[in-house]
Amino acid sequence: MTAAPVTALPAHYTESMLAAEAANRDHVTRCVAGTGGSPDLVAHTAALRLYLRVPHFLTEWTTDPDRRAAVSRALALDIVSMKLLDDLMDDDTGLDRVELACVCLRLHLRALHELACLAREPKAVTDILERDAVYLCGGQIGTKRSRATNLQEWRAHASTYGAAFLGRYGALAAACGSDGQPGDAVRQFAEAFALIITTADDLTDYDRNGERDGNLAHLMRTGAVPGQDVVDQLEELRGRALTAVTAAPGLVPVVHLYTDDVLTRLVPRHL
């Protein structure tokens, strides 16, 4: 059970990615503070590094730098708003729940405004959100009601709170980006990449948060899911993501970096 060595991102890509992450962080935290968010909530949102970084990946197909930056900032607002909603539901951050609810709503509405202003067809923004709403929200409810007991069930759950969640932002990035963007490819990358990082989250949360029921690492440790099946799934997702980014070669090392990290650093802990 071996994996390819982790591939570092090129220096120029790392520089642009971190600059976008910083710009997104500043944009989000200004909105959080401007809504009356406490210093603790501002700090919490500022620390959501992957949530602030992933819009840079989803906008790789947008060639105009100013538009790309604007779409990235708008996506970051809504991605963080949904993270705060998740924090509210889980109630495990120690943050005030009224504050989480109010700031979540404010970020979401601001994101809708910015995305609608950027979209070539503003109605496309609400169409995308509405199309996924039942699947995403119903999936979240189902996940809380029934915990996964095997890999098939785990993936079915993760396809809602992971793949569908990030997939909608891939679709939004395409709708708000440059003309002629391959919307299907952007979404395919987003969904595959989401399942890779959702796998990483579960394997990390086993130790970090003590998660057990429905947690992928727990299923591996109890023998319900063979480790090789997890490796095979990650390689399948890597292939799907790479197929999607043929027109965005800058994302190839991103796909390898995140997939290899799960395979070499996280999976072996739970075998």
Side-chain angles (χ1 to χ4, degrees):
M1 191 180 298
T2 60
V6 174
T7 305
L9 298 181
H12 71 278
Y13 193 89
T14 298
E15 182 179 356
S16 66
M17 176 186 71
L18 293 179
E21 179 186 324
N24 292 345
R25 180 182 64 245
D26 292 346
H27 191 56
V28 170
T29 53
R30 276 196 299 268
C31 193
V32 173
T35 310
S38 67
D40 284 345
L41 183 54
V42 172
H44 178 70
T45 55
L48 298 174
R49 295 194 62 186
L50 184 56
Y51 292 86
L52 298 167
R53 179 179 298 182
V54 76
H56 184 68
F57 303 151
L58 300 180
T59 55
E60 186 75 17
W61 288 260
T62 300
T63 55
D64 178 79
D66 291 336
R67 174 169 285 272
R68 180 178 184 182
V71 174
S72 181
R73 290 193 302 267
L75 292 175
L77 282 172
D78 206 58
I79 290 171
V80 171
S81 80
M82 294 300 104
K83 166 58 175 168
L84 297 186
L85 178 60
D86 185 64
D87 291 338
L88 175 64
M89 291 188 293
D90 290 343
D91 195 21
D92 59 0
T93 63
L95 295 165
D96 183 85
R97 300 190 77 203
V98 172
E99 188 177 349
L100 283 170
C102 292
V103 173
C104 163
L105 180 59
R106 167 59 177 150
L107 293 183
H108 177 60
L109 293 175
R110 180 65 199 181
L112 285 179
H113 172 74
E114 293 187 11
L115 290 167
C117 289
L118 289 163
R120 298 183 297 278
E121 297 180 17
K123 185 176 178 292
V125 173
T126 52
D127 285 348
I128 290 167
L129 294 174
E130 171 60 21
R131 182 186 64 200
D132 291 327
V134 173
Y135 182 64
L136 184 60
C137 295
Q140 276 282 53
I141 293 170
T143 298
K144 302 298 184 185
R145 286 177 177 168
S146 175
R147 300 297 185 178
T149 61
N150 54 53
L151 186 58
Q152 182 179 7
E153 291 175 358
W154 183 87
R155 183 155 176 169
H157 288 329
S159 70
T160 61
Y161 63 78
F165 172 76
L166 201 59
R168 75 195 317 204
Y169 294 111
L172 287 169
C176 298
S178 306
D179 288 338
Q181 286 202 81
D184 290 344
V186 183
R187 179 154 192 148
Q188 180 180 321
F189 162 74
E191 291 182 347
F193 187 71
L195 288 174
I196 293 168
I197 60 178
T198 301
T199 302
D201 284 346
D202 251 37
L203 300 183
T204 301
D205 286 345
Y206 179 90
D207 294 315
R208 181 175 58 193
N209 298 332
E211 288 188 2
R212 293 296 183 269
D213 288 348
N215 177 278
L216 183 58
H218 182 64
L219 295 174
M220 292 170 64
R221 285 173 176 258
T222 58
V225 174
Q228 186 61 48
D229 287 359
V230 176
V231 171
D232 292 345
Q233 177 170 270
L234 285 163
E235 292 295 357
E236 175 224 328
L237 294 169
R238 186 206 300 264
R240 286 179 55 201
L242 290 174
T243 298
V245 302
T246 53
L251 287 174
V252 170
V254 172
V255 172
H256 287 309
L257 178 69
Y258 280 87
T259 310
D260 290 347
D261 179 60
V262 183
L263 287 167
T264 60
R265 183 175 63 87
L266 297 175
V267 169
R269 295 181 185 178
H270 304 290
L271 297 178

